[in-house]
Amino acid sequence: MSPRIHLPSGWVTFVFTDIEGSTRLAQLLGTGYRPVLREHRRLLRDTLAGTDGAELLTEGDSFFLAFPDAAGALAACLTAQRALVSHDWPTPEARPRVRMGLHTGYAEPRDGEYASPEVHRAARVAAAAHGGQVLCSAATARHADSLPDGASLLDLGLHRLRGFDDRERLFQVVAPGLERRFPRPRTADAVAHNLPTQATSFVGREAERVELNRLVETYRLVTVLGAGGAGKTRLAVELATGIVEAYPDGVWFVDIAAVTDPGLVAFEVAAVLGLRPEPGRPMTDTLVEYAATRRMLIVLDTCDAQPAASAEAISRLLAGARDVRVIATSRESFGLPGEVVWRIPPLSDDPRPGGGESDAVTLLLERTAAARGGRPPGPAEQADLRRVVRRLDGLPLAIELAAARLRVLSAGQLAERLDDMLGTLDAGRAEPEPSTAAYRSAQERHLTMQATVTWSYRTLETRPARLLRWLAVFAGPVDLPTVQWLLDDDPLDPLSVLVDKSMVLAEPHASGSTYRMLDPIRAYAARRLIEAGEERAARDRHVAWSRHALDRAHLGPDGQPITLSLYALDPLAGELRAALRWCATGGSARSGLRLAGGLDQWWRERGLAREGRLWLFRLYGRIAETGETMPEAELAAAYHMHSLHAGADGEVAEELRYSQRAEAAARQAGDRGLLARVLAGRAAPLIDMGQFAEAERVCREVIEWAYAQDVVSDALRAIYNLAELLWRRGALDEAAELLGASRPVAAARPVERGRRSVDMLLGMVALARGDLVAAHEHLLVALRSRMNHGYLGRACDTLNAIAVRCALGGDGVTGARLFGAAQATRANLRATPGIYGPYWQERQVELRRELGDAAFDATYGEGGELALEEATALALGVEHPDQAADSPRLPLLSRQRTKRAGLAGPSFQTRSRAVT
C-alpha cells in the first residue's frame, strides 16, 4: 500500500484484525514468535496491497484498516484468511489464528484519523469473532453488492456488542478454504436457555444441521426420529444452541425420560419454564397461557418415554401459542397435524469433497484419542479405522463404544473382532421385503450396535460376564454393597473389569461410588441373561434384595425398628417397580404383594395411589394365571391396602368393595391383629360416602372389640377416624380424651410415629376450642415430624390447619398464603381433601371476607408459588401466640370465637392445655 494514506469518506467499511490467543502463542513459541508475527504482518499486507484499503494502525498483532467499498473489504478479508491457512508455518501449532471484524458506517476523516462511534462498533464486531473467523455487521452485509465466488454470509442472529445498548445482527463469511464451525460469538448477550453443556465435541453432520434448521424455520413441530444411539438428542441440542438468538424468550430443553407418569409431562415442561401449578387449574392451561405471548423454542427429548402425553402437551402448546416451536426426539412419530417427521441418518462414511476424513471416521479418531489419553491413532491404523466405521454402519453410540475398546486394542484387532461378530449376526439373513424395508433397516442398525456390545461381552471372562448379566436386573445405579448382596460374593475384581472396559460406568460421590450401565448395554445384558437360563434366578434375587432394602428402611443400624421415613423409600422406587414388574409377569405374585405392602403409605403420600392400584390389579391377574397359593392373611392385607389406595383416589365403590373383601379374608385367616387393622378401615368408605353416623357406630364397635381382644394397637385407624368424627360434630372433650388415651399406643408403633396423627388431631380439637397456644404447639410438632419423615400428603392437612390457626390469631395474610401453598401441593399429589375439606373451605370463605377478594387472591396465589419445603418453613416460623390477658385460652370462650372456629352449638370449656 502507498505510504501516503488516502482515507475514504462517506460510507466507510472499517476492518479490525488480531491474533486470537497471541499472548499464549508468544509464550508457546518463545523466540520463534517474532518471525511468526513478522510473517503474519507480511501476508496481510501482501494480500491487501492490491486493494484500495487504507492501513491506519498496526500495533502488535492487530491491524486497523478502512475501505471505501464493503464488497472489497470482504473480499480482502477472505483472501487474507486463505493466505494464512495455506501458508507453510514452521509447525501446525505456530499458525496464528486471526479473527477479523467489519462494520460499515458513515464517517469523515479528520487529521488522518476517524473520530466516530462506527470505528468502535467495528472493533467490537472483531472482538466477538474467533480465530479464523470473519464477522461483519448487518450494515456491511447490506452494502456489499457482490461476494466472491463461492462465498456467502451466514446469519448468526442478534447480539449485544460490549459497550453498546442496541443489538447488532452479525454475519459470518462462509467460503471454501475457510473454517465454518465456531462457538457462539463473544458478545455481551445473556441468552435465556437451559441447553445441556456437552463434555465432548460435536462432529460432522453439517448437511443434517442445515436441513434440520430449514425445517425448524419452516414448520412449528419437527420430530427427529431414529433408533437408539443414532444421536437424536445430541443433534437437536447442537442445532438449538446455534439458533438461541432467534428466540428472544428462550430455548428450553425438557427431558421426558425423567417423567414416570403420563400426567406429569405438562408439569415437567412447566417446571423447566419456571411455572408452578395453580390451584384448581390444569397445568396445561397454565402452560399455554404463559407461552401464548412468547416466542420460544422447546426441545422435548425422548418423547417415546411418554408418547401420548407428549403428543397432548405439544398439541395444546401449538394450538394456544402461535410463536412457539417444538423440536421433539422420539422413536415414533406423534401423527399430529402439521408435524414434520425427519429421520436422522447414520454418520456418513464417505470422504469429504476436499479429501478430508468422513464424519464417522473423524468421530472415531477424536474419541479414540480421548480414550488413549490424548494420543491420536497413528497413520498405520487409518485403514483399519475405516473398516471399523463401515462395519458399525455410522451409528454414533456404536462408534463411541468402539473407541472405548481402542484403549486396549489396536484398530486392526478391533476390526478383526467386528468382522467375526457381524459375519455371525448377518449369516442367513434374507433380503427384506419392500413392505417391511424401513422396519428391517432400523432393526439392522440396532443389530449393528449390538455387534459392538457383543464383541465387548465376548472379551469378558466368566465372573465379569456373569456380573454384567446379573446387573441387568437393576433399573438404575447401584452401590458396592448392593452388588455384593446380589452375587453373594466379593464383586470388586469383576466389577473393576467391567468399569475398565466401559461396560459399566463408575460415578464417584461423597458417600461412595455408584455403578450403572448404559441402557443399550443393559438391554443387551438382559437378553444374555435369558439366553444363559439365569433370568429367573437373577430376578428372584433382585426381588429378594428389594424386600431386603425395604426391611432395612424400617430398621436402624442396630437392627431395631425405627420410625419409618418415607424419604428412605424414594431412592428405591425405580428398583421396586422393576421388581414388581417381574413379579407381575414372570415371578411370584406373592412376593410382589409383599413388596407392594412395603410401599403402602409411600404411594399415597406421593400422590401415586393410582399406580399402586394398577400394580395390585396386575398381581391379582398373575395369581389367576399361575394358580399360586396365597395365604388368606396376605390376601387380606393386600385387599386392605387396595381399599386405602382407592379411597385416596376418590374411587369410593372400589374402596368399599375391597374393604369387604379384606374383612372376609381376614376372618378366614383367624389373625386377630390383622382383623383389627382391616376392621379399623371399615369406617373410611362410609365417611367418603357421607354416612357419618354409621361410620361413628362402626368405629365404636371396632374399638370396643379391639380392647376386648387386646389388639387395640392394630385398631388405631378406627380411633383416629372416631376422633375426626367427634371433632366434626363438636364432641371435643370426648375426642381429646380418646386421643390422649391413644398416644402411648401410637408411640409404640414405629410405622405410625412419624405421622404424629395424635398431635394433628389434638391441634384440630384445640382450634375448635379456640385454644391457639395448644393448637400452635400440637400442629407445629405434627408438621415438623411429617416433613422430617416424608409424609407430604399429610403435611398438606397440617399446613391448612396452621393456616386456620393464623387466621384465628389475626394473621390472615399468612393464613391465606399457607392455604394457597397447601392446595398447590395437594393438587400436584392429586390427593382428595377428606373429612377436613368442607372445614378448610369454610375457613377460606371467612378469610376472603376479612381480607377482601383482591388481597386474598393475591396472597393465595403467592402461596401457590411456594414449594412445600418453603411453605413448611413459613409455617414453622409463625410466632407463638401471645399469652396476654386477651388470649383465647381464658377459661370461657365467647360464642363468637366458637362460631369462628366452625362449630355450632353451645360453647365449650377449654383446658389450660390440649390433652397430651
Side-chain angles (χ1 to χ4, degrees), residues 475-561:
V478 294
D479 57 15
L480 191 61
T482 297
V483 181
Q484 186 168 355
W485 200 97
L486 178 72
L487 293 183
D488 196 19
D489 188 14
D490 185 0
L492 187 57
D493 287 344
L495 187 59
S496 299
V497 172
L498 296 178
V499 171
D500 288 343
K501 291 180 175 291
S502 298
M503 302 193 79
V504 170
L505 302 181
E507 299 175 329
H509 304 281
S511 58
S513 293
T514 58
Y515 308 91
R516 68 180 181 92
M517 288 191 290
L518 297 175
D519 284 342
I521 298 178
R522 179 182 292 111
Y524 176 88
R527 284 195 290 275
R528 283 289 185 176
L529 187 69
I530 297 171
E531 293 171 4
E534 299 169 334
E535 183 181 31
R536 178 169 295 278
R539 294 200 180 277
D540 284 347
R541 186 70 173 164
H542 179 249
V543 170
W545 174 85
S546 299
R547 183 62 195 172
H548 172 69
L550 275 176
D551 291 341
R552 283 189 304 172
H554 292 74
L555 302 176
D558 58 356
Q560 297 301 311

Side-chain angles (χ1 to χ4, degrees), residues 882-890 897:
D882 185 14
Q883 300 186 33
D886 62 349
S887 169
R889 299 180 67 205
L890 291 175
R897 175 69 69 180

Side-chain angles (χ1 to χ4, degrees), residues 154-299:
L154 177 64
D155 188 346
L156 300 181
L158 295 171
H159 294 265
R160 183 168 289 110
L161 300 176
R162 300 183 189 281
F164 289 86
D165 294 331
D166 60 340
R167 302 178 77 190
E168 178 68 56
R169 185 171 295 279
L170 297 180
F171 293 83
Q172 176 185 323
V173 179
V174 177
L178 263 64
E179 192 175 345
R180 179 187 176 96
R181 188 170 175 273
F182 297 94
R184 293 184 62 257
R186 296 185 176 103
T187 57
D189 296 271
V191 181
H193 72 82
N194 70 332
L195 295 171
T197 301
Q198 305 298 333
T200 57
S201 61
F202 185 85
V203 175
R205 294 206 185 277
E206 285 88 358
E208 290 91 334
R209 277 186 287 174
V210 170
E211 182 180 1
L212 190 55
N213 185 52
R214 178 183 61 79
L215 292 175
V216 172
E217 289 177 348
T218 308
Y219 303 95
R220 297 182 60 207
L221 171 59
V222 178
T223 304
V224 181
L225 293 189
K232 303 182 294 293
T233 300
R234 190 67 189 271
L235 177 60
V237 171
E238 186 72 11
L239 174 70
T241 302
I243 57 176
V244 168
E245 290 81 7
Y247 297 90
D249 295 305
V251 175
W252 305 105
F253 180 87
V254 184
D255 186 9
I256 305 300
V259 180
T260 59
D261 185 277
L264 297 179
V265 168
F267 287 83
E268 186 72 11
V269 178
V272 168
L273 297 177
L275 305 178
R276 293 183 181 274
E278 296 179 68
R281 189 182 191 194
M283 190 70 248
T284 308
D285 291 353
T286 302
L287 186 60
V288 171
E289 181 183 15
Y290 174 85
T293 58
R294 288 171 167 80
R295 177 177 172 78
M296 59 186 176
L297 174 67
I298 299 176
V299 181

Side-chain angles (χ1 to χ4, degrees), residues 7-142:
L7 298 181
S9 62
W11 289 103
V12 181
T13 298
F14 298 104
V15 177
F16 281 88
T17 80
D18 67 359
I19 299 175
E20 181 183 51
S22 57
T23 301
R24 289 192 299 273
L25 184 62
Q27 292 172 342
L28 174 67
L29 299 180
T31 57
Y33 177 67
R34 184 173 295 278
V36 168
L37 182 61
R38 282 199 302 267
E39 194 67 7
H40 151 259
R41 290 173 178 166
R42 184 189 67 78
L43 286 172
L44 290 186
R45 287 197 173 104
D46 288 351
T47 301
L48 301 173
T51 70
D52 53 0
E55 180 182 335
L56 284 89
L57 177 66
T58 303
E59 185 177 57
D61 61 291
S62 63
F63 276 77
F64 172 32
L65 307 104
F67 288 79
D69 175 54
L74 284 171
C77 289
L78 176 56
T79 305
Q81 286 286 16
R82 285 172 171 164
L84 290 166
V85 171
S86 61
H87 184 70
D88 186 17
W89 299 99
T91 65
E93 293 80 11
R95 179 170 74 86
R97 297 177 58 82
V98 177
R99 56 183 180 177
M100 301 180 179
L102 302 87
H103 172 65
T104 302
Y106 193 86
E108 297 285 348
R110 295 288 179 89
D111 301 324
E113 64 179 1
Y114 294 94
S116 169
E118 308 295 353
V119 174
H120 296 280
R121 187 176 291 270
R124 292 307 184 192
V125 171
H130 298 271
Q133 187 178 35
V134 180
L135 294 183
C136 71
S137 67
T140 300
R142 284 196 307 270

